Amino acid sequence: QREDVGVRIDKMSDGTTACGFAWTWTCNDLEGLRGTTFVELNDANEIVYVREIPEPLIKPGDATLELLKAVTAGAEPKVFDDDFVPRVPVNA
């Protein structure tokens, strides 16, 4: 029996030198791992950069919130003496 296994593209951006897309790994009617991929091309249309970001395999859910509450119980909030000054970057 053949299984239909592959990657389904859920969303895709378009660009002349770079694009990103969201994907889902599928097997028949089941959905598995999801993630995002970013690809950048140079002037010769060769791939020069790829970044793949899969979702975590283990999702602790509410356990994370309870852990953070336990770890920070009784902690004093940090007070900053200086006023916050928003800044805009001039180069990246």
Side-chain angles (χ1 to χ4, degrees):
Q1 176 177 1
R2 180 178 175 271
E3 293 185 3
D4 291 325
V5 178
V7 175
R8 180 185 71 218
I9 304 299
D10 298 319
K11 296 178 183 176
M12 183 181 295
S13 69
D14 57 353
T16 55
T17 60
C19 85
F21 56 94
W23 49 265
T24 302
W25 182 259
T26 60
C27 179
N28 295 326
D29 293 335
L30 302 175
E31 293 187 354
L33 184 68
R34 294 178 296 184
T36 302
T37 301
F38 175 81
V39 180
E40 185 177 353
L41 306 175
N42 64 14
D43 292 336
N45 289 328
E46 299 169 326
I47 296 173
V48 293
Y49 182 81
V50 174
R51 171 63 66 116
E52 281 211 337
I53 308 167
E55 70 179 356
L57 293 175
I58 299 172
K59 300 171 192 70
D62 292 338
T64 302
L65 179 59
E66 296 305 317
L67 175 64
L68 290 173
K69 284 181 183 178
V71 169
T72 60
E76 294 293 325
K78 184 174 181 179
V79 178
F80 295 94
D81 294 331
D82 299 332
D83 290 334
F84 174 74
V85 178
R87 297 183 294 171
V88 176
V90 292
N91 58 19

